[in-house]
Amino acid sequence: MTTVKSAATREALGPTLIELQNSGEFDLIVVDADLGKSTSARIFQDTYPERFFTFGIAEQNMISAAAGFSVMGHTVFATTFAVFAEHAFDQLRMMVAQPNLNVKIVASHGGVSPGEDGASAQSIEDFALFSSLLNFNVCVPADVIEAAAITKAAALTPGPFYIRTARPKTSIIYTDGPQFELGRANQLREGNDLTIIACGLMVERALIAADELKNNNINARVLNMSTLRPLDTNSLFAAATDTGALVIAEEHLSHTGLGAMCAHALASSIPVPVEFIGLDRYGESATWEEALELTGLTSAKIISACHQVLSRKMT
Amino acid sequence: MSADLDFEQSAIILAANVRRHIVKMVYSAKSGHIGGSLSSTDLMAVLYSKYLKHDPENPNWNDRDRFIMSKGHCTPVQYAILAERGYFPIDELKTFRQKGTRLQGHSVLGKPPGVENSAGALGMGLSFGLGIRLAQKLKGMQNSKVWVLMGDGEQNEGQVWEAAMSATHHQAAGLIALIDRNGIQNDDFTQKTMRSEPLDKKYEAFGWNVLSNIDGHSIPEIAHAFEWAITQDDAPTCLIFDTIKGKGVSFMENNPGFHGAPPDDEQFKIAMQELQ
């Protein structure tokens, strides 16, 4: 059980990479694009300097070189900010996804929560981009404990992997240890009136919303959908069948992210009313909490969406 | 006959066979990149005859050199060389670009054996080769090398220069860039579309060992350049070959019309006569 109250999901990377290499089970290479202090990858460099390569501010080169390392048998972790990972989309497609190589992208500063840095630093399209790359697993941790578990899963899973982490320190959700299983949603609250599906920073907001709804005798199931690809359609369809109404919340463009992928799966099997909490605009400079407020990513908005979807629910 | 002459003779015969394969493949497929394949045929023939450490019987041999085809549209020359060297039956060349084939239009890693990288989008191969070379060094594979073939039009891509910068930063001696400087890119002559010269001075400025103005159609000159390159152990090495796009077929030579267009029936007949 952890005693830390809050931490940023990006803080898990460096220590977990060291743990993985220490285990003797992996032949890791870590590549970086001059953001190792921010992504926490530099901690790995301090311990394993010969396994750490920076490519400077050159993400396309970094991703292509990572592919080269991987064909030599290495498990390669490539780290930068989410917006800069997007910079190498063509390299990710042709050099990593198509040949299905063992390259893991761990991209910090996802979503609008880089806050003060403003719109250019706020990646709100990375779920869409990485989910569009076949062969990629795509995961978003809800807290630092889950971030470490996802990083380990990435090392253990052959093939391309994308992990989006966040800049701000946020609450620990998995105080009793991680529940992560690749491709499986984790149920955090039981309930049969409706289901709130969330990922990343929105999981904490979903839990707050569910607790408040409970005061009004509305029992919301809460699923942490930390794996976006492959999508856990079993849990999704069970939620649709059992509760008949869904709210999907994400720190991402609403029309191309987790909500859109869930709606795509539901439409051809169990169409139920869905409300979406996500972005439809670029962010701007503000504190990270203000940035979430400005773009409607709050527990209050989730609660409103829950009432809305319940009004549409077929009885 | 001396060993050198023996080698030269066999490389000339290999190149001649490869040129005929290239023209047949692109004619049969009614598509494919003929000009840049013919311009790099001689240097590929010399590389695969003598200097590339490889084993067609064991294409995944761990200590092999890696050949990275960064100009991934020039698959005709690569497939023809690999077939001639015994990686797969020559007869399979007939399937180039056709449904169900291993011989895809642009390079796909592992298809067929001997193709070490996926390519088609330009400018990525040097970075990929750099990653391989750094891994080789980490594993103590000092006797293995990485050869990356690029076009001169490809030098437009900014990523090439990211790779050039980081290769010297990471002291990637044993990484050998080959530039097929045929002077023509997709739409037009490189001097009209995007001037990339002076390439030699640019690579030198990035800290590479450079040999330029090599006659890319002279077997002894190509061999001499490779001999020099494999002894360079202080920095990555760049060889710039002066070549003729469409080399070997009179009406294709130095003709921007034959970058990615196939010959018609009459042109095919003439081309095959010229290549006899």
Side-chain angles (χ1 to χ4, degrees):
Chain A
M1 182 167 167
T2 181
T3 52
V4 180
K5 289 226 169 78
S6 74
T9 52
R10 65 184 159 117
E11 294 177 66
L13 179 64
T16 307
L17 292 173
I18 293 170
E19 192 183 330
L20 287 166
Q21 187 58 46
N22 285 347
S23 74
E25 292 169 35
F26 300 97
D27 192 2
L28 295 189
I29 290 289
V30 177
V31 298
D32 154 84
D34 194 29
L35 287 168
K37 282 189 279 189
S38 303
T39 62
S40 79
R42 277 282 283 275
I43 301 168
F44 180 86
Q45 182 187 21
D46 294 340
T47 310
Y48 291 104
E50 75 284 3
R51 293 179 176 276
F52 182 94
F53 293 86
T54 187
F55 287 87
I57 308 161
E59 295 77 15
Q60 303 177 36
N61 188 35
M62 173 183 74
I63 294 298
S64 307
F69 276 111
S70 79
V71 298
M72 296 299 286
H74 292 290
T75 300
V76 188
F77 281 82
T79 74
T80 181
F81 288 177
V83 285
F84 304 134
E86 294 176 12
H87 192 50
F89 186 74
D90 193 10
Q91 288 72 14
L92 289 158
R93 172 181 173 273
M94 194 186 80
M95 303 298 275
V96 179
Q98 290 187 347
N100 198 17
L101 296 182
N102 203 21
V103 176
K104 325 298 177 183
I105 317 302
V106 185
S108 73
H109 293 58
V112 291
S113 50
E116 292 86 344
D117 285 334
S120 74
Q122 299 171 349
S123 170
I124 58 173
E125 53 286 289
D126 56 331
F127 296 172
L129 289 170
F130 282 90
S131 295
S132 74
L133 295 170
L134 299 181
N135 295 324
F136 259 86
N137 295 283
V138 177
C139 288
V140 190
D143 73 0
V144 72
I145 305 291
E146 191 172 49
I150 291 173
T151 306
K152 289 175 190 169
L156 283 164
T157 308
F161 213 111
Y162 178 73
I163 304 171
R164 179 221 265 196
T165 59
R167 180 190 190 192
K169 290 188 185 296
T170 51
S171 306
I172 306 293
I173 289 165
Y174 293 101
T175 49
D176 293 331
Q179 304 283 317
F180 179 77
E181 197 180 328
L182 181 61
R184 289 286 298 276
N186 181 232
Q187 184 173 310
L188 291 166
R189 293 281 190 279
E190 289 183 14
N192 282 320
D193 293 330
L194 81 161
T195 303
I196 307 170
I197 295 174
C199 65
L201 301 193
M202 296 310 290
V203 172
E204 184 185 359
R205 278 141 198 85
L207 292 171
I208 294 166
D211 291 345
E212 290 191 22
L213 287 166
K214 198 161 187 94
N215 295 334
N216 292 323
N217 290 321
I218 297 169
N219 292 312
R221 180 180 300 184
V222 177
L223 296 179
N224 171 16
M225 195 68 86
S226 47
T227 307
L228 275 64
R229 293 271 298 175
L231 189 65
D232 180 4
T233 49
N234 289 334
S235 297
L236 178 66
F237 295 162
T241 306
D242 298 346
T243 72
L246 306 176
V247 170
I248 302 171
E250 61 191 313
E251 193 186 356
H252 189 273
L253 286 173
S254 186
H255 68 288
T256 59
L258 175 63
M261 287 188 272
C262 290
H264 174 264
L266 290 165
S268 58
S269 50
I270 311 169
V272 294
V274 184
E275 291 290 327
F276 303 94
I277 297 294
L279 291 149
D280 60 1
R281 53 162 289 190
Y282 289 116
E284 57 192 277
S285 288
T287 67
W288 71 272
E289 283 159 313
E290 289 166 346
L292 292 180
E293 286 261 357
L294 275 169
T295 51
L297 304 180
T298 62
S299 54
K301 290 280 187 188
I302 294 174
I303 290 168
S304 307
C306 288
H307 289 302
Q308 179 68 24
V309 84
L310 283 171
S311 73
R312 294 170 55 208
K313 183 173 168 179
M314 283 161 265
T315 50
Chain B
M1 196 182 275
S2 76
D4 272 359
L5 283 175
D6 221 14
F7 148 71
E8 282 179 27
Q9 199 56 38
S10 69
I12 287 168
I13 292 167
L14 174 61
N17 289 340
V18 165
R19 283 200 163 88
R20 283 189 289 272
H21 291 316
I22 291 168
V23 172
K24 279 190 211 165
M25 287 162 76
V26 175
Y27 172 72
S28 301
K30 296 194 166 37
S31 67
H33 296 79
I34 204 164
S37 289
L38 291 170
S39 65
S40 51
T41 295
D42 296 309
L43 64 93
M44 287 285 280
V46 174
L47 185 64
Y48 274 82
S49 294
K50 188 168 177 182
Y51 295 96
L52 185 78
K53 190 170 68 168
H54 70 127
D55 180 4
E57 298 295 315
N58 186 10
N60 294 323
W61 173 35
N62 196 51
D63 289 340
R64 71 190 184 280
D65 288 359
R66 304 282 178 132
F67 173 77
I68 305 305
M69 180 59 114
S70 191
K71 47 179 226 159
H73 53 287
C74 291
T75 45
V77 65
Q78 187 177 22
Y79 297 151
I81 286 271
L82 290 173
E84 282 285 338
R85 295 282 84 176
Y87 280 86
F88 60 91
I90 286 174
D91 206 40
E92 192 174 336
L93 293 174
K94 290 176 184 161
T95 69
F96 175 58
R97 283 180 170 247
Q98 291 175 20
K99 186 179 165 188
T101 186
R102 294 193 294 179
L103 310 186
Q104 296 289 298
H106 291 76
S107 312
V108 174
L109 195 157
K111 277 188 177 184
V115 175
E116 302 272 19
N117 64 301
S118 289
L122 291 167
M124 303 184 196
L126 194 58
S127 307
F128 184 74
L130 172 60
I132 293 173
R133 182 62 198 136
L134 294 176
Q136 285 178 341
K137 284 181 72 176
L138 198 63
K139 293 171 193 293
M141 297 164 63
Q142 288 308 326
N143 294 323
S144 302
K145 305 211 176 297
V146 180
W147 309 75
V148 180
L149 178 61
M150 296 181 284
D152 54 348
E154 184 173 7
Q155 307 303 307
N156 297 175
E157 289 279 7
Q159 188 184 342
V160 170
W161 304 101
E162 296 181 1
M165 190 187 301
S166 57
T168 42
H169 177 81
H170 288 300
Q171 301 174 307
L175 176 66
I176 304 170
L178 313 173
I179 300 180
D180 175 15
R181 182 163 63 185
N182 60 36
I184 296 174
Q185 51 197 102
N186 188 70
D187 279 359
D188 212 326
F189 293 94
T190 55
Q191 283 299 94
K192 285 192 180 170
T193 301
M194 182 52 62
R195 291 190 300 277
S196 53
E197 297 296 338
L199 283 175
D200 53 349
K201 290 197 169 56
K202 286 177 183 171
Y203 276 91
E204 278 165 13
F206 278 91
W208 289 56
N209 296 317
V210 180
L211 200 58
S212 189
N213 302 319
I214 308 156
D215 181 345
H217 301 304
S218 157
I219 304 296
E221 269 207 43
I222 297 165
H224 179 263
F226 288 164
E227 293 282 357
W228 177 79
I230 58 180
T231 62
Q232 303 302 307
D233 58 6
D234 61 332
T237 299
C238 179
L239 305 178
I240 303 172
F241 296 92
D242 288 330
T243 62
I244 296 167
K245 198 147 183 169
K247 173 71 177 176
V249 179
S250 57
F251 56 87
M252 293 183 189
E253 287 191 359
N254 209 29
N255 180 354
F258 283 98
H259 170 82
D264 63 24
D265 294 349
E266 187 58 28
Q267 289 168 331
F268 174 67
K269 269 187 218 156
I270 299 166
M272 291 308 289
Q273 281 164 10
E274 289 187 8
L275 290 172
Q276 284 311 310

